[in-house]
Amino acid sequence: MTDTVPTNEVLARLGEVPFLRGLPGHVLDTIRRGGTVRRYPRGELLFQRGEAAKGLFVVLRGSVRVYQIADTGREHILTVERPGNSVAELPLFDEGPYPASAEAAEDSVLFTLGRERFAALLREYPEVAHRVIAALAQRLRRLVQTVEELALKEVRQRVAAMLLRLAEQHGPEFTLPTSNEQLAAQLGTVREVVSRAINGFAHDGLIELEGRQVRILDLKELRERA
């Protein structure tokens, strides 16, 4: 299923990808012309764990969740990628399979650059490869942080840390990006526990909660509880 997205919007989103940011406009346009734009209805798979790499995915609209399913059937969301973010670049470099699955978390539009064209891009613009390494290093740091939180912190601490990260990204007032069920899948717990933790922070006066809208009232105390 295809979708039409204005050229300037595609270029703007490509320019937001960390390892493409700062490239000359004509280079971004070359990348754009070499790829395809497609709409993914909510729930449609981009790829499954174990599949060979298809190419570079960039979110133009909507969001994509990257996840794994445990042997018990429980889902753990590794990350949610939003407009201007790329999805699961690692297999493009180590030639291994995808280590996780990815699907549209909502009706979404993605840009895809095939793996051969991506390889050609790296050959022509070696600086992009260096930027990709830096981006992968940042992902590794986030993954290590996630593992530490899951192994060493109680659920209320993980929820507090999640709220702090959202405040760093969006300021003291923001909208919770996904449902409590999806947040729970990211934090390694269940929806009811996440809801109790968030409501508990509101009851204690650390945050103000109205629907999915959150306003941080006591940043210092929230940090102490993370």
Side-chain angles (χ1 to χ4, degrees), residues 176-195:
L176 290 173
T178 58
S179 67
N180 285 359
E181 185 173 2
Q182 290 181 326
L183 291 175
Q186 290 179 266
L187 297 173
T189 184
V190 295
R191 177 178 58 81
E192 292 79 8
V193 176
V194 170
S195 298

Side-chain angles (χ1 to χ4, degrees), residues 39-224:
R39 183 168 67 88
Y40 288 79
R42 178 181 179 183
E44 183 172 350
L45 282 169
L46 279 68
F47 51 79
Q48 286 186 302
R49 180 180 181 181
E51 288 184 351
K54 298 180 179 180
L56 174 69
F57 291 92
V58 176
V59 183
L60 302 179
R61 298 176 182 174
S63 59
V64 170
R65 63 192 187 96
V66 181
Y67 64 94
Q68 289 185 339
I69 303 293
D71 293 338
T72 60
R74 184 173 178 177
E75 177 185 289
H76 180 70
I77 298 177
L78 302 177
T79 185
V80 176
E81 303 294 1
R82 304 191 183 283
N85 291 344
S86 56
V87 181
E89 312 91 344
L90 180 61
L92 293 172
F93 292 89
D94 67 2
E95 299 184 354
Y98 285 114
S101 301
E103 70 175 39
E106 56 187 304
D107 290 347
S108 302
V109 182
L110 279 86
F111 171 87
T112 306
L113 187 69
R115 60 185 305 174
E116 294 302 324
R117 287 184 179 272
F118 184 72
L121 172 69
L122 297 183
R123 288 194 296 270
E124 187 168 358
Y125 301 97
E127 68 270 23
V128 174
H130 294 292
R131 295 179 182 183
V132 173
I133 292 172
L136 291 175
Q138 290 178 347
R139 288 189 186 276
L140 178 59
R141 288 183 183 277
R142 289 200 298 268
L143 180 60
V144 169
Q145 181 182 19
T146 298
V147 170
E148 289 178 345
E149 289 179 357
L150 291 174
L152 304 176
K153 292 188 176 183
E154 300 293 333
V155 174
R156 285 176 62 88
Q157 292 176 296
R158 294 179 225 159
V159 174
M162 178 267 297
L163 293 174
L164 289 171
R165 285 194 295 271
L166 290 172
E168 288 176 359
Q169 295 169 9
H170 307 291
E173 297 186 31
F174 54 85
T175 302
L176 290 173
T178 58
S179 67
N180 285 359
E181 185 173 2
Q182 290 181 326
L183 291 175
Q186 290 179 266
L187 297 173
T189 184
V190 295
R191 177 178 58 81
E192 292 79 8
V193 176
V194 170
S195 298
R196 283 200 300 269
I198 292 175
N199 289 329
F201 293 142
H203 179 269
D204 293 344
L206 277 65
I207 65 173
E208 185 178 84
L209 185 64
E210 184 174 346
R212 306 298 294 169
Q213 291 292 122
V214 174
R215 183 159 68 96
I216 305 296
L217 300 177
D218 193 335
L219 189 61
K220 180 180 178 181
E221 179 63 22
L222 192 62
R223 282 178 177 149
E224 290 181 357

